[in-house]
Amino acid sequence: MQLLILAAGYATRLYPLTLNQPKPLLPVAGRPMINHVLDHLSGIGGIERVLVVTNHKFITHFEEWAARYDKKGASYDFKIIDDGSTSDDDKLGAIGDIHLVIEREQIKGDLMVVAGDNLFDQSLADFGRACAEKKGPVLGVYDVKDWELVKKYNSISVDSAGQITHFEEKSAEPKSTLTGIALYYYPEAVIPLIKQYIAEGNNPDQPGRLVQWLYPRLPFYTWEVPGTWFDIGGKKSLAEADALFSQKLS
């Protein structure tokens, strides 16, 4: 299985912090944000390689980070992939970057995808176990418990088996406060469908749109993320994450 970390955005809402530093490498509790992401994914078995897709502006930042990163005995290798974009105006979008990596790296096996600015405060080892048990793709979900906040993300309904029965990006009238986050498992059989999504000219940004397109076509399962989840979109959420992670380390 390959693990793909999405890190090609320009994070304009965090300017000036991200003018010359990619968001996933901003410090949280004294360590790059992406380190915390990898820490909580480390309990998932079967990861053979970690692919980090970034933009041309920040490619050297991630190459230098990967050279310094302590894998703590893990056997996987890093590969940093340049998507060729240079600004927010020519970015490929999250789904576009997933497709780029699939094509360039000739991905044929299972693929796990996570955003480099998604922070979790608990291990995701059980996500790996859930993926191994399900006979289809799996989406990480989180209950934000706020009817207004969920409108910024997506609204999901699931059945008793955790299979998605409704998914809508940025719903004006959400059916629940449960939302899908940028944590995905795509088994090998789904890879051709990702290629089809792009070939049909669908929106290459906002990775939830791929879920919205896929779930009517095949069973798509969910796994509820434990603990606290942070979507680092601005300075407020960055400060909140830094405070929580610093407290846990003290």
Side-chain angles (χ1 to χ4, degrees):
M1 179 172 61
Q2 315 283 309
L3 170 63
L4 172 59
I5 300 179
L6 301 174
Y10 291 88
T12 55
R13 285 185 292 165
L14 275 166
Y15 278 9
L17 294 176
T18 49
L19 269 171
N20 298 300
Q21 180 81 321
K23 180 166 52 168
L25 297 185
L26 291 178
V28 171
R31 301 172 69 224
M33 194 184 306
I34 194 172
N35 287 35
H36 297 288
V37 176
L38 283 166
D39 283 352
H40 291 105
L41 288 164
S42 63
I44 296 175
I47 296 175
E48 300 164 353
R49 189 167 55 152
V50 175
L51 308 166
V52 180
V53 61
T54 185
N55 53 61
H56 188 68
K57 179 179 179 180
F58 291 131
I59 184 71
T60 56
H61 291 70
F62 283 99
E63 288 173 341
E64 291 168 1
W65 162 80
R68 296 190 307 266
Y69 181 76
D70 180 4
K71 293 191 293 185
K72 300 175 183 175
S75 59
Y76 58 74
D77 292 321
F78 280 115
K79 183 165 186 179
I80 312 299
I81 298 167
D82 183 351
D83 76 355
S85 71
T86 55
S87 74
D88 212 40
D89 296 328
D90 67 346
K91 67 182 181 182
L92 303 187
I95 307 171
D97 277 319
I98 294 170
H99 180 256
L100 172 81
V101 172
I102 288 171
E103 291 291 290
R104 189 177 294 177
E105 297 300 310
Q106 299 184 341
I107 302 292
K108 292 184 173 61
D110 299 343
L111 182 66
M112 189 172 289
V113 182
V114 65
D117 60 355
N118 262 9
L119 279 182
F120 314 92
D121 74 339
Q122 292 190 24
S123 171
L124 300 179
D126 284 342
F127 179 65
R129 285 187 273 273
C131 294
E133 293 169 1
K134 302 296 184 184
K135 303 299 182 184
V138 184
L139 168 67
V141 296
Y142 187 81
D143 191 345
V144 297
K145 298 182 173 65
D146 185 318
W147 289 96
E148 286 303 311
L149 181 60
V150 77
K151 292 177 182 179
K152 291 174 49 182
Y153 301 119
N154 50 69
S155 177
I156 293 180
S157 298
V158 300
D159 64 16
S160 58
Q163 183 176 328
I164 298 173
T165 57
H166 176 81
F167 184 105
E168 186 178 1
E169 269 297 317
K170 294 180 168 42
S171 174
E173 297 182 358
K175 295 181 180 294
S176 75
T177 57
L178 191 68
T179 193
I181 68 172
L183 176 65
Y184 313 94
Y185 169 72
Y186 293 117
E188 184 174 11
V190 178
I191 301 299
L193 289 173
I194 299 175
K195 296 180 181 181
Q196 180 184 336
Y197 175 93
I198 293 293
E200 290 180 359
N202 292 294
N203 191 329
D205 206 4
Q206 299 174 351
R209 293 185 184 277
L210 178 58
V211 178
Q212 187 169 309
W213 184 84
L214 281 169
Y215 91 87
R217 290 169 167 79
L218 76 172
F220 207 127
Y221 298 94
T222 59
W223 178 78
E224 192 156 358
V225 171
T228 303
W229 164 72
F230 289 98
D231 171 31
I232 308 299
K235 294 177 183 177
K236 181 182 177 184
S237 54
L238 178 61
E240 289 172 346
D242 183 67
L244 176 65
F245 278 75
S246 296
Q247 183 181 31
K248 283 180 171 289
L249 291 173
S250 63

